[in-house]
């Protein structure tokens, strides 16, 4: 047997041995790290989350406070709900949606090719031959809301594609000013 005796636990009334400096620094550093992790990480997460939420709210506010056409494709949900199949290729796409208790409307304008126009009309369930020359089928009220003048150079034609409720009704006007690249204006309205 060796002369060393195992260290005995101190009794409740006995003083503890003094802590050496290295151990004390390590213990304080570990305590500080735990405090930073317990407070800093959640606080940082909350700041990031709040900034993302604020940015999202500003985007939605801008979208829903728009008072006319805004550049960009209507959402897939809008295109499906209002049955406005914007063709590919299409460019200069803009849209605007209005809703009230009586009628909901989606205003869409885009430029496409002759094949794109034909595909769009076929998707609506009408033929290109149904377009009537010099027939501006979009009402004055809808032109005021959307900001469309629907006048000027080019050959204008239009049609109304009426469907049984709750399917939407489409007022379509096409400007053939640029040969091969028609500009299409659509108002799709539905009664909820």
């Amino acid at each position: 047997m060796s002369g060393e005796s195992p260290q005995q636990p101190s009794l409740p009334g006995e003083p503890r041995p003094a802590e050496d400096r290295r151990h004390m620094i390590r213990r304080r550093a570990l305590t500080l790290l735990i405090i930073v992790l317990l407070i800093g990480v959640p606080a940082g997460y909350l700041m990031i989350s709040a900034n993302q939420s604020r940015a999202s709210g500003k985007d939605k506010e801008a979208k829903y406070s728009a008072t006319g056409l805004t550049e960009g494709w209507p959402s897939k949900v809008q295109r499906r709900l209002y049955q406005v199949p914007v063709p590919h290729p299409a460019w200069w796409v803009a849209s605007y949606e209005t809703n009230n208790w009586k009628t909901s409307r989606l205003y869409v304008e885009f430029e496409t090719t002759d094949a794109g126009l034909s595909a769009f009309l076929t998707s609506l369930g009408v033929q290109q031959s149904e377009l009537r020359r010099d027939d501006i089928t979009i009402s004055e009220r809808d032109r005021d809301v959307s900001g469309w003048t629907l006048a000027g150079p080019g050959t204008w034609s239009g049609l109304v594609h009426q469907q049984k409720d709750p399917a939407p009704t489409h007022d379509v006007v096409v400007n053939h000013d640029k040969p091969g690249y028609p500009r299409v204006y659509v108002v799709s309205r539905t009664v909820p």
Side-chain angles (χ1 to χ4, degrees), residues 149-188:
T149 55
L150 304 183
T155 304
W156 293 85
S157 58
L159 65 84
V160 175
H161 177 236
Q162 194 125 16
Q163 301 183 89
K164 188 176 180 181
D165 286 339
T169 296
H170 301 97
D171 299 326
V172 180
V173 173
V174 181
N175 182 355
H176 303 276
D177 179 33
K178 291 176 16 185
Y181 299 99
R183 185 116 184 119
V184 181
Y185 304 85
V186 184
V187 177
S188 177

Side-chain angles (χ1 to χ4, degrees), residues 30-41:
L30 184 61
T31 303
L32 180 64
L33 177 66
I34 290 171
I35 290 170
V36 166
L37 290 175
L38 287 175
I39 295 172
V41 170

Side-chain angles (χ1 to χ4, degrees), residues 45-67:
Y45 174 78
L46 286 174
M47 284 178 37
I48 291 169
S49 179
N51 284 335
Q52 288 175 342
S53 178
R54 186 176 304 126
S56 172
K58 287 180 181 176
D59 293 345
K60 287 179 184 174
E61 179 184 0
K63 178 181 177 183
Y64 292 113
S65 67
T67 56

Side-chain angles (χ1 to χ4, degrees), residues 5-184:
S5 63
Q7 188 171 358
Q8 298 292 325
S10 60
L11 297 174
E14 276 184 41
R16 291 182 143 195
E19 182 178 33
D20 67 336
R21 182 166 173 73
R22 201 163 122 198
H23 186 262
M24 179 189 67
I25 292 172
R26 186 179 305 145
R27 183 177 48 81
R28 287 184 179 173
L30 184 61
T31 303
L32 180 64
L33 177 66
I34 290 171
I35 290 170
V36 166
L37 290 175
L38 287 175
I39 295 172
V41 170
Y45 174 78
L46 286 174
M47 284 178 37
I48 291 169
S49 179
N51 284 335
Q52 288 175 342
S53 178
R54 186 176 304 126
S56 172
K58 287 180 181 176
D59 293 345
K60 287 179 184 174
E61 179 184 0
K63 178 181 177 183
Y64 292 113
S65 67
T67 56
L69 291 169
T70 54
E71 187 178 322
W73 287 62
S75 70
K76 287 182 180 181
V77 171
Q78 288 173 319
R79 285 181 273 163
R80 186 175 64 241
L81 177 68
Y82 291 98
Q83 298 176 6
V84 179
V86 178
H88 292 282
W91 49 93
W92 306 109
V93 180
S95 66
Y96 178 57
E97 182 181 18
T98 62
N99 296 299
N100 62 37
W101 65 274
K102 192 175 177 183
T103 307
S104 296
R105 286 180 174 84
L106 179 66
Y107 302 84
V108 181
E109 89 177 80
F110 58 89
E111 191 170 296
T112 188
T113 61
D114 285 335
L117 173 62
S118 181
F120 169 72
L121 293 172
T122 301
S123 296
L124 286 182
V126 297
Q127 299 301 316
Q128 200 159 353
S129 60
E130 295 179 54
L131 286 169
R132 293 183 308 270
R133 188 178 175 130
D134 297 324
D135 191 5
I136 306 298
T137 55
I138 295 176
S139 71
E140 190 68 42
R141 178 209 173 275
D142 288 332
R143 284 184 267 172
D144 289 343
V145 169
S146 63
W148 294 329
T149 55
L150 304 183
T155 304
W156 293 85
S157 58
L159 65 84
V160 175
H161 177 236
Q162 194 125 16
Q163 301 183 89
K164 188 176 180 181
D165 286 339
T169 296
H170 301 97
D171 299 326
V172 180
V173 173
V174 181
N175 182 355
H176 303 276
D177 179 33
K178 291 176 16 185
Y181 299 99
R183 185 116 184 119
V184 181

